[in-house]
Amino acid sequence: MTLCNLTIEGGARAGLVAPDETTFAYLAGRPAAPKGGGWAMAHDHWKRLSSDADRPFRPRGTDRCPRR
């Protein structure tokens, strides 16, 4: 969530970090999580969420904002 929040603060209109198995394990069984067959449908849908395949991954932030 922090990374998505930072993208918005940086001027983006949306931020997406694809969920992983740790995220799914955290959500499973939570009070607001889908139940039964709804969980399976949601899980399948969420697994399809991903970043653009052609976008490069940058492990370090090297971009600099121009000074005004």
Side-chain angles (χ1 to χ4, degrees):
M1 295 304 293
T2 299
L3 183 58
C4 292
N5 187 44
L6 287 171
T7 61
I8 304 306
E9 289 178 8
R13 294 186 184 198
L16 170 73
V17 175
D20 60 5
E21 292 305 317
T22 302
T23 304
F24 296 133
Y26 173 79
L27 293 173
R30 310 283 293 176
K35 307 288 187 255
W39 172 258
M41 285 177 44
H43 185 266
D44 290 343
H45 174 72
W46 292 333
K47 285 187 75 123
R48 291 193 308 256
L49 297 175
S50 64
S51 302
D52 297 336
D54 61 341
R55 304 309 309 166
F57 173 72
R58 293 176 141 182
R60 294 184 179 176
T62 56
D63 292 337
R64 301 281 186 237
C65 293
R67 292 186 180 195
R68 293 183 182 194

